[in-house]
Amino acid sequence: MNGIPEHTEHGLFADDTALWTSSNTTTSLSFRLQQSIDAFQSWCNSWKLKLQPSKTELVHFTIHPRRKFKNPISVKIDDTIVKTSNSTRYLGVIIDKTLNWRSHLHHIESKIAGRISLLRFLNRAAYEPNDKIMLNIFKSIARSIIIYGYPILLTANDKIWERLQIMQNKAIRAALGLPIYTSVDYIHRTTNIPKIKEYAVTLLQRYIQTATSNKDVLLQNNLQDIFNKL
């Protein structure tokens, strides 16, 4: 996309767009973002596209999240001030201004609860539950939700992954009809299912190999950087 200033990065996927930049002052941030928004809006107009100010959010990432700035960041779209938010959802991942991933975790917990109940129901409803089939269903409807966004979540601390692991434990117990006191080690040893973070790291390694095979240097470097920090 032409026209976006070099000081601002951008991401486009279908109708989801993100602009981000950095600076040491809020005044500079406001100027940079406004300049980039104006350029993006001009590009949209040339393609007969229209931005929706009411669906646009501004998140200020800072190492001082509780600090009240004298000149808070402010940008406009069509003379409408973009609302400031503590978090935003981009490509299914909820990103909060402190990057602690708690908002995303709460979203996953609420989403996975119904699927765990479904796994429990399917196990009880079956005349002779087949563990292999139930584990495949678990992988399809539960683990895929827990692991979603794993490349970025691998930058989170161990407490986040501990809670994701708890979700997986509950889902596997429900799928196999195991009592709540069944140990985590027993669950993973008998099912041969890796713990959730181990699985995420394995997926990341595969993703790096795919990026390398496709000669996607930018993606490969970004993923490798995440892997190197584990």
Side-chain angles (χ1 to χ4, degrees):
M1 183 172 58
N2 298 325
I4 299 294
E6 293 184 358
H7 55 60
T8 299
E9 300 287 342
H10 66 275
L12 290 170
F13 186 84
D15 61 346
D16 276 339
T17 304
L19 299 173
W20 64 94
T21 189
S22 61
S23 182
N24 56 1
T25 68
T26 53
T27 301
S28 176
L29 285 172
S30 294
F31 174 78
R32 288 185 171 194
L33 285 175
Q34 189 63 62
Q35 187 181 30
S36 301
I37 288 172
D38 292 343
F40 179 59
Q41 189 166 23
S42 177
W43 179 85
C44 288
N45 291 339
S46 67
W47 287 94
K48 309 299 181 183
L49 301 173
K50 184 173 178 59
L51 298 180
Q52 296 291 334
S54 61
K55 295 182 179 180
T56 305
E57 295 176 319
L58 169 68
V59 181
H60 181 194
F61 301 98
T62 172
I63 58 175
H64 305 293
R66 296 183 180 180
R67 177 181 172 184
K68 292 186 177 180
F69 293 89
K70 183 178 180 180
N71 298 305
I73 303 172
S74 179
V75 293
K76 296 180 179 180
I77 297 177
D78 288 335
D79 294 325
T80 300
I81 296 177
V82 176
K83 63 181 178 182
T84 302
S85 178
N86 290 329
S87 63
T88 189
R89 183 172 180 172
Y90 185 61
L91 301 182
V93 177
I94 299 177
I95 308 171
D96 59 85
K97 68 178 184 180
T98 59
L99 295 179
N100 60 25
W101 307 109
R102 290 176 185 170
S103 297
H104 181 72
L105 203 61
H106 292 323
H107 170 69
I108 295 300
E109 286 174 333
S110 62
K111 192 172 183 179
I112 202 70
R115 298 176 184 234
I116 291 175
S117 296
L118 177 59
L119 287 169
R120 187 176 294 111
F121 169 78
L122 291 174
N123 178 273
R124 292 175 178 174
Y127 180 70
E128 292 183 355
N130 184 300
D131 287 353
K132 185 176 181 179
I133 293 176
M134 289 305 302
L135 288 175
N136 283 336
I137 296 175
F138 150 76
K139 293 175 184 178
S140 177
I141 70 171
R143 188 170 68 175
S144 59
I145 300 299
I146 299 171
I147 204 69
Y148 184 82
Y150 69 89
I152 192 67
L153 289 179
L154 281 171
T155 65
N157 60 41
D158 288 339
K159 290 184 178 180
I160 296 298
W161 284 97
E162 287 171 4
R163 290 177 64 177
L164 291 172
Q165 182 60 51
I166 290 173
M167 293 183 219
Q168 172 162 291
N169 299 341
K170 290 180 178 179
I172 295 176
R173 290 190 185 105
L176 300 182
L178 297 173
I180 192 172
Y181 54 78
T182 307
S183 72
V184 176
D185 289 337
Y186 175 82
I187 289 173
H188 292 84
R189 185 174 65 253
T190 57
T191 61
N192 201 31
I193 289 178
K195 292 186 177 180
I196 196 67
K197 188 171 184 179
E198 294 173 2
Y199 179 60
V201 173
T202 300
L203 290 180
L204 180 63
Q205 291 174 314
R206 292 177 187 171
Y207 202 2
I208 293 173
Q209 292 174 354
T210 300
T212 303
S213 299
N214 294 336
K215 297 181 180 180
D216 190 334
V217 178
L218 179 61
L219 178 59
Q220 177 190 347
N221 290 340
N222 287 336
L223 295 175
Q224 190 65 52
D225 185 54
I226 294 173
F227 181 77
N228 292 340
K229 293 178 181 178
L230 294 177

